Amino acid sequence: MMKIFQNLLSLFLKSHCPLCQRTTSRELCPYCIKQIQSCHKQNPAFLWKQPLPIFVWGNYGGAVKRAIAALKYENEPQIGYLLGAWLGESWLLHSPQPQQQLLVVPIPMHPNKQKQRGFNQAALIAAGFCNVTGYKLKVNGLERIKETEAQFNLSPIQRQQNLANAFGLGKDFRRHPNTQILLVDDIYTTGATVKAAVKTLEQHQITVLGVAAVATTNK
């Protein structure tokens, strides 16, 4: 009788994969997980170089692009935590500069945009990342003080202008941290957003080690 009850409970708890609608008891079904994992870069540290070292889990396209879109625009926050965990696992295996102490700061959203979405996807990714790596998460290390336009339709110069003075120091850093910072974001494209964030931190004499992102458009 107990076995039948457990089977019924398991069936009841199953939901549908947000990417393909297959039945699954996990955040994503095994098929979609396999498709996303196929986008994982063999050398995630290929962009880890000055002046701004970047660590990226995978290529922005295919199943990864679909997963990030579902996370951001279809209210699937659990995908962010999962992607962050995979980014953390990759960091532990391939980190170009292992640090015993490191503070993780997600790229913030403007409060108005975050209220509309219900969450900041970079913060969810950072939480998954920190759960795997054991690093300390500072969700409010930075704040977005300027509501900017969407970046994807802008030229490189327009992106820089759009992000000028967009960030301020958050309440988590009212006391100056004596540890290096790793910024976390979902997608790395031209780097305009993270460069603006780095500039804000460095203006307050806070050292940024680099950036970790789930995906990049760079080949």
Side-chain angles (χ1 to χ4, degrees):
M1 188 69 181
M2 181 60 69
K3 182 69 173 177
I4 294 173
F5 175 76
Q6 289 174 340
N7 288 341
L8 287 171
L9 182 63
S10 176
L11 184 64
F12 178 75
L13 290 174
K14 284 189 176 183
S15 60
H16 292 93
C17 174
L19 303 186
C20 70
Q21 301 307 308
R22 289 180 174 88
T23 301
T24 181
S25 56
R26 299 184 60 186
E27 300 93 340
L28 300 172
C29 73
Y31 172 81
C32 287
I33 287 174
K34 185 177 179 180
Q35 293 299 306
I36 295 171
Q37 291 280 5
S38 70
C39 299
H40 186 203
K41 286 187 175 294
Q42 291 186 345
N43 178 19
F46 79 106
L47 292 173
W48 193 266
K49 50 194 172 186
Q50 298 299 335
L52 181 59
I54 310 293
F55 185 92
V56 287
W57 181 86
N59 297 308
Y60 183 62
V64 169
K65 185 175 182 178
R66 173 75 185 94
I68 292 176
L71 161 64
K72 294 166 69 171
Y73 308 121
E74 298 171 22
N75 193 30
E76 299 290 349
Q78 73 281 4
I79 295 176
Y81 196 82
L82 179 63
L83 293 173
W86 291 344
L87 179 61
E89 290 169 1
S90 188
W91 176 270
L92 292 178
L93 289 171
H94 305 285
S95 173
Q97 196 171 339
Q99 298 288 317
Q100 290 185 345
Q101 291 187 334
L102 199 60
L103 298 179
V104 173
V105 176
I107 297 294
M109 294 177 70
H110 190 273
N112 291 344
K113 288 187 178 178
Q114 185 164 332
K115 187 176 180 180
Q116 290 174 359
R117 183 166 294 171
F119 55 84
N120 173 14
Q121 71 276 358
L124 296 174
I125 292 166
F129 179 88
C130 289
N131 186 56
V132 170
T133 61
Y135 294 141
K136 289 185 179 179
L137 175 61
K138 297 293 182 181
V139 174
N140 299 305
L142 284 168
E143 61 179 2
R144 198 98 168 213
I145 56 179
K146 174 183 172 185
E147 194 164 5
T148 54
E149 296 178 51
Q151 292 281 91
F152 55 83
N153 285 326
L154 303 180
S155 69
I157 293 176
Q158 289 173 325
R159 288 181 182 221
Q160 291 178 11
Q161 294 171 341
N162 188 39
L163 288 158
N165 303 313
F167 298 103
L169 206 61
K171 61 184 180 181
D172 283 349
F173 288 158
R174 284 175 183 161
R175 291 183 62 185
H176 189 283
N178 56 4
T179 305
Q180 288 186 312
I181 305 303
L182 181 70
L183 293 170
V184 168
D185 206 1
D186 55 347
I187 309 164
Y188 177 80
T189 52
T190 65
T193 301
V194 292
K195 286 173 185 174
V198 168
K199 183 178 179 181
T200 297
L201 291 168
E202 290 183 341
Q203 284 173 341
H204 291 83
Q205 289 75 53
I206 297 173
T207 303
V208 178
L209 175 67
V211 179
V214 171
T216 183
T217 55
N218 291 274
K219 300 300 183 183

